[in-house]
Amino acid sequence: MKKNKVDKIRLYSLLSVLTIIIGIALLVFMTIVESEPGAIPLLLIVTGAGWYFITRYRLGSKHT
């Protein structure tokens, strides 16, 4: 049961990193094409980073 929770938290960590990568790619694309970054890529990066740090905390804490 505990291994299942750790696997789920690792999946969340992977998805949060993927969200950050998509946000960075979209930020670069929009900066090149439109000469301004926009709000959606920045929101993706901030959300992904927050999600990543929360999952890292849960992975390292005893509350999992």
Side-chain angles (χ1 to χ4, degrees), residues 20 41-51:
I20 293 170
L42 296 174
L43 183 65
L44 280 172
I45 294 169
V46 169
T47 303
W51 190 12

PDB file of all heavy atoms in Angstrom, residues 20 41-51:
ATOM      1  N   ILE A  20       6.270  22.081 -16.437  1.00  0.00           N
ATOM      2  CA  ILE A  20       7.274  23.144 -16.495  1.00  0.00           C
ATOM      3  C   ILE A  20       7.929  23.186 -17.872  1.00  0.00           C
ATOM      4  O   ILE A  20       8.116  24.269 -18.444  1.00  0.00           O
ATOM      5  CB  ILE A  20       8.330  22.940 -15.389  1.00  0.00           C
ATOM      6  CG1 ILE A  20       7.709  23.126 -14.011  1.00  0.00           C
ATOM      7  CG2 ILE A  20       9.499  23.900 -15.570  1.00  0.00           C
ATOM      8  CD1 ILE A  20       8.613  22.712 -12.866  1.00  0.00           C
ATOM      9  N   PRO A  41       1.959  30.746 -20.500  1.00  0.00           N
ATOM     10  CA  PRO A  41       3.216  30.032 -20.221  1.00  0.00           C
ATOM     11  C   PRO A  41       3.769  30.317 -18.829  1.00  0.00           C
ATOM     12  O   PRO A  41       4.283  29.410 -18.167  1.00  0.00           O
ATOM     13  CB  PRO A  41       4.178  30.531 -21.299  1.00  0.00           C
ATOM     14  CG  PRO A  41       3.335  31.095 -22.357  1.00  0.00           C
ATOM     15  CD  PRO A  41       2.080  31.556 -21.709  1.00  0.00           C
ATOM     16  N   LEU A  42       3.656  31.547 -18.393  1.00  0.00           N
ATOM     17  CA  LEU A  42       4.131  31.885 -17.056  1.00  0.00           C
ATOM     18  C   LEU A  42       3.306  31.168 -15.989  1.00  0.00           C
ATOM     19  O   LEU A  42       3.851  30.686 -14.993  1.00  0.00           O
ATOM     20  CB  LEU A  42       4.074  33.400 -16.839  1.00  0.00           C
ATOM     21  CG  LEU A  42       5.001  34.220 -17.746  1.00  0.00           C
ATOM     22  CD1 LEU A  42       4.740  35.704 -17.546  1.00  0.00           C
ATOM     23  CD2 LEU A  42       6.438  33.892 -17.476  1.00  0.00           C
ATOM     24  N   LEU A  43       2.006  31.068 -16.206  1.00  0.00           N
ATOM     25  CA  LEU A  43       1.140  30.345 -15.279  1.00  0.00           C
ATOM     26  C   LEU A  43       1.498  28.853 -15.252  1.00  0.00           C
ATOM     27  O   LEU A  43       1.518  28.244 -14.181  1.00  0.00           O
ATOM     28  CB  LEU A  43      -0.324  30.538 -15.672  1.00  0.00           C
ATOM     29  CG  LEU A  43      -1.362  29.910 -14.760  1.00  0.00           C
ATOM     30  CD1 LEU A  43      -1.322  30.567 -13.386  1.00  0.00           C
ATOM     31  CD2 LEU A  43      -2.734  30.037 -15.364  1.00  0.00           C
ATOM     32  N   LEU A  44       1.792  28.275 -16.417  1.00  0.00           N
ATOM     33  CA  LEU A  44       2.199  26.874 -16.467  1.00  0.00           C
ATOM     34  C   LEU A  44       3.495  26.641 -15.690  1.00  0.00           C
ATOM     35  O   LEU A  44       3.626  25.651 -14.968  1.00  0.00           O
ATOM     36  CB  LEU A  44       2.379  26.421 -17.913  1.00  0.00           C
ATOM     37  CG  LEU A  44       1.123  26.070 -18.688  1.00  0.00           C
ATOM     38  CD1 LEU A  44       1.469  25.835 -20.159  1.00  0.00           C
ATOM     39  CD2 LEU A  44       0.463  24.853 -18.111  1.00  0.00           C
ATOM     40  N   ILE A  45       4.458  27.541 -15.839  1.00  0.00           N
ATOM     41  CA  ILE A  45       5.742  27.391 -15.159  1.00  0.00           C
ATOM     42  C   ILE A  45       5.568  27.514 -13.645  1.00  0.00           C
ATOM     43  O   ILE A  45       6.093  26.705 -12.881  1.00  0.00           O
ATOM     44  CB  ILE A  45       6.757  28.421 -15.697  1.00  0.00           C
ATOM     45  CG1 ILE A  45       7.082  28.106 -17.156  1.00  0.00           C
ATOM     46  CG2 ILE A  45       8.019  28.442 -14.852  1.00  0.00           C
ATOM     47  CD1 ILE A  45       7.870  29.194 -17.861  1.00  0.00           C
ATOM     48  N   VAL A  46       4.819  28.507 -13.205  1.00  0.00           N
ATOM     49  CA  VAL A  46       4.613  28.706 -11.769  1.00  0.00           C
ATOM     50  C   VAL A  46       3.816  27.551 -11.164  1.00  0.00           C
ATOM     51  O   VAL A  46       4.155  27.043 -10.087  1.00  0.00           O
ATOM     52  CB  VAL A  46       3.913  30.066 -11.513  1.00  0.00           C
ATOM     53  CG1 VAL A  46       3.441  30.188 -10.081  1.00  0.00           C
ATOM     54  CG2 VAL A  46       4.850  31.205 -11.868  1.00  0.00           C
ATOM     55  N   THR A  47       2.777  27.114 -11.865  1.00  0.00           N
ATOM     56  CA  THR A  47       1.969  25.990 -11.375  1.00  0.00           C
ATOM     57  C   THR A  47       2.793  24.708 -11.309  1.00  0.00           C
ATOM     58  O   THR A  47       2.735  23.970 -10.322  1.00  0.00           O
ATOM     59  CB  THR A  47       0.744  25.783 -12.280  1.00  0.00           C
ATOM     60  OG1 THR A  47      -0.010  26.988 -12.327  1.00  0.00           O
ATOM     61  CG2 THR A  47      -0.117  24.646 -11.789  1.00  0.00           C
ATOM     62  N   GLY A  48       3.564  24.440 -12.348  1.00  0.00           N
ATOM     63  CA  GLY A  48       4.403  23.249 -12.363  1.00  0.00           C
ATOM     64  C   GLY A  48       5.458  23.269 -11.277  1.00  0.00           C
ATOM     65  O   GLY A  48       5.727  22.253 -10.636  1.00  0.00           O
ATOM     66  N   ALA A  49       6.060  24.438 -11.050  1.00  0.00           N
ATOM     67  CA  ALA A  49       7.077  24.544 -10.000  1.00  0.00           C
ATOM     68  C   ALA A  49       6.466  24.345  -8.618  1.00  0.00           C
ATOM     69  O   ALA A  49       7.024  23.643  -7.772  1.00  0.00           O
ATOM     70  CB  ALA A  49       7.776  25.896 -10.088  1.00  0.00           C
ATOM     71  N   GLY A  50       5.304  24.943  -8.385  1.00  0.00           N
ATOM     72  CA  GLY A  50       4.630  24.747  -7.104  1.00  0.00           C
ATOM     73  C   GLY A  50       4.244  23.301  -6.887  1.00  0.00           C
ATOM     74  O   GLY A  50       4.439  22.744  -5.798  1.00  0.00           O
ATOM     75  N   TRP A  51       3.715  22.679  -7.921  1.00  0.00           N
ATOM     76  CA  TRP A  51       3.327  21.273  -7.854  1.00  0.00           C
ATOM     77  C   TRP A  51       4.541  20.391  -7.594  1.00  0.00           C
ATOM     78  O   TRP A  51       4.490  19.452  -6.811  1.00  0.00           O
ATOM     79  CB  TRP A  51       2.638  20.897  -9.158  1.00  0.00           C
ATOM     80  CG  TRP A  51       1.949  19.567  -9.208  1.00  0.00           C
ATOM     81  CD1 TRP A  51       1.671  18.745  -8.157  1.00  0.00           C
ATOM     82  CD2 TRP A  51       1.441  18.923 -10.361  1.00  0.00           C
ATOM     83  NE1 TRP A  51       1.024  17.626  -8.608  1.00  0.00           N
ATOM     84  CE2 TRP A  51       0.867  17.702  -9.960  1.00  0.00           C
ATOM     85  CE3 TRP A  51       1.408  19.251 -11.712  1.00  0.00           C
ATOM     86  CZ2 TRP A  51       0.280  16.826 -10.851  1.00  0.00           C
ATOM     87  CZ3 TRP A  51       0.820  18.375 -12.588  1.00  0.00           C
ATOM     88  CH2 TRP A  51       0.268  17.179 -12.163  1.00  0.00           C
TER      89      TRP A  51
END
